[in-house]
Amino acid sequence: MKKIASLSSLMLLSVMSYGQIDTFQKAKVFTESDTSAKFHTVSGERHGPSFFKKHQFPEVEYVPGEKLTFDKYHTVNVMYHWYEKWAELYPEIVDLYIIGESFEGRPIYQMTLTNKKTGKDTEKPAAYFEGGRHSGEITASESVLWLTQHLLENYGKDKEITHLIDTKAIYLRPQNNPDGSNLYLYTEQRNRSTVKPHDNDRDGLIDEDPEEDLDGDGVIYQMRKKATTDEEKKKANYIIDPDHPSGKLMKRVFPGKGDYLLYTEGIDNDGDGDYNEDGVGGLDLHRNYPENWRPDIGGDLTGRGYTQYGAGEYPLSEPETRSTVLWMLSHANISVVNSMDTRVPMHLRPPSTSKSEERMYPEDLAIYKEMDELGLSYTAYPWAGDVYETYSTRYKVNRMTGDPLKPSPLFGHGPDFGYFYFGSIWYGDELWNNGAMKDYNNDGIYDDYDALVWDEEENGGKGFKSWTPFNHPELGEVEIGGFHPKFFGQNGPPWQLENWAKKQALFNLAMAKKLPEIKAEKPAVKKIKDGEYEISLTWENVGGLPVALEQAKLVKIVQEDRVSLEFAKALTEGYENAKVQITSPDLYDKTIYAGHTGKGERKTIIFKVKVNSAEEVKGKIKLSSTRGGLFVQEFTLK
């Protein structure tokens, strides 16, 4: 069933077959869906172009085929096609709904996977997986798509997957930034994240200097210019890498020490001497979360505080991020999240602004480290760890200066929100490796040298365009070439796609299999004497995670597990004259608060009940665990 989620009411409204309501306005047709349109347009007022020539890449599937395969990348519409089809094919376990709209008004699809016969999704432990937040990092979206198909096709066949969907809820959002992804896949343009206009270079002009496809091949490569004037020689900071015999590879050096200047393909539209520094958009949806948010560049008026490029006007200023956070806060049953990006192969987790040992509970950090190792067992990425230290210092020294690298903060980051604010296991994993499959020259770095060797040996040289002379309207003689930015640098060639999407998806699946799982026994009823009973309930967390991390307890995102009894209202009315009285516990609300059930922990609670009637009495016992689930069982007193 396809549903629509209203963020204001946080309610799901089914699309029913009631009478059609007509409008005099035409439905908005986005240019990626308009086959007659020669240009792809973006919304918003900017000082640069808002329309770009449409281009179709051979690496991308633009029309859905009869079967979903992962030998090409898929557009947003193709992904949505499969989500709609799966909602029709698997109605017993699928709910598909629109969780929000993008900046340009495109729907953001999300799917819930759970066996509806075993209860509502909100009554079960849950995991959430998201891709597409960064427009060009499309391998992450493909991983969510691969996982969705894998779960659906193996439900009822694979014992563990069947059990997972029967007892848990899996939330899947393949495209959290459909505007940016469509711009990326239908034009030569690239952008960091949302297409909302943004003054990247803070010159008072907005999006005035985008890249241009000067040679008309549909791809934005690099331009190298041999320094000839005195001014150019002072700035020249690249040489041809002497370690690679082809002469293709450029090596960065200090300004004035080089022979070349390097630019991305295009012209200097605003005449400030910089090329392509202010293209479409520039906000970063992964810097817009409320935890440890800092203002965008220029937003600190003292000039001495921290700022964060791409942060947005304020936390959750962007509809795409806001839809994620508001929905998450209405689904406190979620224990595991991965909101993925690309290009540095790494299992990336909090903290983003401090050392792990300084801010994380030791018990929580131990769980995260177990997850790090679990991830590496599936992906064999070179790194797993936190943003602040592991990511920032993964290469130990600055290759230019030789100085040791220091930890570096990243503000408004999703994983920090996920742990410190939401109290969950939250990763922001990075897929793909720029083609640097191994350290070919044994220098301890996975860099462009390794990528070029792999491209030539394993990829038929298709990932690199040889430097080709071009007469630039401003720079004069240049050469255009370099790595393919979209399907080699930022994402892999299509024949590598399924490998990367699959292994990342299997790690996410492995994390989901570790969700807390409360196994409650049948309530035991013991008659103490005439009219007096003990009702006991025993349960155990047989899952791989506690029902609450220590951080979740601190920020009160998770209530402690609690057990209550329910009887017909008429039986409990009348206080001391009631037909049924709960004599223990003594609390007014007659609820037993049982703390938070840890991994492998077993608990038993006991109620005492007095029945002032000879009639048989039926009741229910309810165990409520925020992230462990809801369990209701009947019992009889006679």
Side-chain angles (χ1 to χ4, degrees):
M1 183 187 301
K2 189 175 179 180
K3 298 181 177 180
I4 298 176
S6 167
L7 290 178
S8 59
S9 63
L10 295 172
M11 296 175 61
L12 294 178
L13 305 176
S14 299
V15 177
M16 306 297 286
S17 56
Y18 297 144
Q20 180 68 36
I21 300 176
D22 294 325
T23 175
F24 67 89
Q25 295 176 328
K26 290 184 178 180
K28 184 173 182 178
V29 178
F30 296 100
T31 49
E32 68 271 13
S33 301
D34 184 355
T35 56
S36 65
K38 295 181 179 180
F39 294 89
H40 182 85
T41 60
V42 288
S43 302
E45 295 183 6
R46 48 180 51 84
H47 295 97
S50 290
F51 61 96
F52 303 91
K53 187 177 180 181
K54 290 176 74 172
H55 180 82
Q56 292 198 352
F57 299 94
E59 296 88 352
V60 179
E61 181 178 270
Y62 292 90
V63 178
E66 293 184 4
K67 182 179 180 181
L68 176 61
T69 60
F70 288 86
D71 52 357
K72 285 190 175 185
Y73 292 87
H74 305 89
T75 64
V76 177
N77 284 346
V78 171
M79 289 188 176
Y80 283 3
H81 162 84
W82 286 105
Y83 268 55
E84 291 174 357
K85 185 170 184 177
W86 289 330
E88 295 175 0
L89 290 175
Y90 304 99
E92 301 87 0
I93 60 173
V94 168
D95 269 327
L96 178 63
Y97 42 96
I98 296 170
I99 200 66
E101 288 187 348
S102 66
F103 166 73
E104 294 193 290
R106 288 180 176 83
I108 299 173
Y109 276 28
Q110 185 167 299
M111 178 181 285
T112 296
L113 278 183
T114 194
N115 183 347
K116 300 175 187 179
K117 294 179 180 178
T118 60
K120 297 178 181 178
D121 62 283
T122 50
E123 296 176 352
K124 301 171 183 177
Y128 169 66
F129 303 114
E130 172 191 279
R133 181 185 45 245
H134 287 163
S135 57
E137 300 177 7
I138 53 178
T139 308
S141 293
E142 298 289 343
S143 186
V144 177
L145 186 66
W146 191 97
L147 177 60
T148 309
Q149 177 175 250
H150 182 69
L151 291 171
L152 290 170
E153 292 185 347
N154 285 281
Y155 179 73
K157 301 174 184 177
D158 180 282
K159 184 178 179 181
E160 289 187 341
I161 288 176
T162 302
H163 177 76
L164 178 70
I165 294 176
D166 283 346
T167 60
K168 315 294 192 309
I170 309 298
Y171 303 114
L172 300 151
R173 190 184 300 188
Q175 285 284 358
N176 199 35
N177 178 20
D179 299 346
S181 291
N182 276 301
L183 176 69
Y184 189 84
L185 293 173
Y186 280 89
T187 77
E188 81 287 353
Q189 289 297 303
R190 302 173 293 166
N191 76 323
R192 177 60 176 162
S193 201
T194 172
V195 302
K196 181 179 178 180
H198 181 258
D199 185 6
N200 294 348
D201 56 356
R202 299 183 60 241
D203 64 352
L205 299 176
I206 300 174
D207 295 3
E208 80 283 0
D209 196 2
E211 302 168 331
E212 284 89 12
D213 173 26
L214 298 179
D215 59 4
D217 63 358
V219 181
I220 302 292
Y221 284 102
Q222 291 183 306
M223 305 184 301
R224 69 180 185 185
K225 165 95 169 57
K226 188 72 177 287
T228 56
T229 68
D230 290 341
E231 184 178 354
E232 289 175 341
K233 289 177 180 179
K234 288 179 182 178
K235 296 178 180 178
N237 59 344
Y238 280 89
I239 61 172
I240 295 176
D241 193 335
D243 293 333
H244 197 281
S246 69
K248 294 179 178 179
L249 201 61
M250 304 302 292
K251 182 177 180 179
R252 191 171 184 177
V253 295
F254 289 107
K257 298 285 188 180
D259 302 316
Y260 287 86
L261 295 162
L262 209 61
Y263 311 88
T264 54
E265 190 178 348
I267 60 175
D268 178 14
N269 292 276
D270 55 357
D272 62 357
D274 293 323
Y275 281 71
N276 313 320
E277 80 284 355
D278 199 353
V280 175
L283 294 173
D284 191 331
L285 298 176
H286 215 189
R287 310 291 183 265
N288 192 231
Y289 285 86
E291 180 67 27
N292 280 336
W293 184 88
R294 296 292 184 275
D296 209 335
I297 303 298
D300 169 50
L301 300 184
T302 72
R304 302 183 301 277
Y306 280 109
T307 57
Q308 176 61 62
Y309 174 76
E313 296 177 64
Y314 49 85
L316 304 185
S317 60
E318 306 314 303
E320 298 88 351
T321 312
R322 191 162 60 249
S323 73
T324 300
V325 169
L326 293 181
W327 177 81
M328 293 286 295
L329 292 175
S330 71
H331 288 72
N333 56 324
I334 297 172
S335 291
V336 168
V337 178
N338 206 337
S339 188
M340 297 169 288
D341 300 322
T342 72
R343 206 176 188 275
V344 178
M346 181 175 180
H347 297 294
L348 200 61
R349 59 166 173 81
S352 303
T353 60
S354 59
K355 294 182 179 181
S356 297
E357 290 76 12
E358 290 178 347
R359 288 195 64 202
M360 298 183 77
Y361 283 97
E363 301 92 330
D364 296 346
L365 180 56
I367 293 173
Y368 263 109
K369 288 183 175 180
E370 288 179 11
M371 293 295 190
D372 289 348
E373 294 302 315
L374 179 66
L376 294 176
S377 72
Y378 281 93
T379 65
Y381 292 166
W383 306 282
D386 64 88
V387 177
Y388 182 70
E389 284 192 292
T390 310
Y391 178 81
S392 298
T393 65
R394 64 189 185 277
Y395 281 135
K396 308 307 179 188
V397 298
N398 184 308
R399 299 182 72 189
M400 284 279 292
T401 66
D403 295 339
L405 290 172
K406 297 179 180 180
S408 178
L410 196 64
F411 300 103
H413 200 219
D416 269 19
F417 164 80
Y419 176 68
F420 294 107
Y421 193 116
F422 194 70
S424 66
I425 300 294
W426 187 308
Y427 277 82
D429 283 356
E430 298 263 349
L431 291 68
W432 184 236
N433 61 1
N434 191 32
M437 296 295 182
K438 62 181 181 180
D439 185 10
Y440 284 94
N441 58 356
N442 297 313
D443 65 351
I445 305 290
Y446 295 89
D447 59 9
D448 286 351
Y449 178 95
D450 305 303
L452 185 56
V453 173
W454 180 81
D455 181 51
E456 292 172 339
E457 292 186 357
E458 305 293 339
N459 193 45
K462 297 177 182 177
F464 195 100
K465 177 177 180 174
S466 295
W467 296 102
T468 305
F470 183 84
N471 188 20
H472 192 276
E474 298 165 342
L475 297 173
E477 290 300 322
V478 301
E479 293 174 286
I480 295 177
F483 290 106
H484 194 303
K486 294 189 178 185
F487 302 110
F488 191 89
Q490 202 166 21
N491 305 277
W495 67 275
Q496 281 284 308
L497 171 58
E498 184 160 19
N499 171 48
W500 288 83
K502 176 181 178 180
K503 63 186 181 182
Q504 178 65 48
L506 291 178
F507 166 52
N508 290 337
L509 176 56
M511 284 201 295
K513 289 178 180 179
K514 286 187 171 292
L515 286 168
E517 182 174 341
I518 298 296
K519 198 169 185 179
E521 299 178 2
K522 290 184 178 181
V525 176
K526 179 181 178 181
K527 189 172 184 179
I528 302 174
K529 57 183 180 181
D530 285 347
E532 294 186 16
Y533 300 85
E534 285 186 349
I535 304 166
S536 63
L537 181 69
T538 298
W539 71 90
E540 182 179 359
N541 180 2
V542 299
L545 290 173
V547 299
L549 299 184
E550 294 303 310
Q551 179 69 14
K553 300 175 190 178
L554 174 70
V555 297
K556 304 299 184 291
I557 197 79
V558 174
Q559 295 193 49
E560 62 180 299
D561 298 342
R562 54 208 181 276
V563 189
S564 59
L565 298 180
E566 292 182 357
F567 296 96
K569 187 177 181 181
L571 296 176
T572 57
E573 291 178 334
Y575 300 100
E576 65 273 4
N577 297 318
K579 291 183 179 180
V580 175
Q581 295 173 288
I582 301 173
T583 58
S584 178
D586 295 330
L587 298 172
Y588 177 79
D589 66 1
K590 301 303 180 184
T591 298
I592 294 179
Y593 295 89
H596 300 89
T597 310
K599 173 186 173 183
E601 187 175 5
R602 184 177 177 87
K603 292 187 176 183
T604 299
I605 55 87
I606 299 175
F607 288 92
K608 290 184 179 180
V609 176
K610 183 178 180 181
V611 178
N612 301 312
S613 172
E615 299 176 358
E616 180 179 275
V617 172
K618 293 184 179 296
K620 294 179 180 179
I621 190 166
K622 180 168 71 173
L623 168 60
S624 299
S625 176
T626 303
R627 290 185 176 167
L630 176 67
F631 305 87
V632 180
Q633 299 187 71
E634 294 183 346
F635 61 87
T636 302
L637 304 179
K638 57 183 177 178

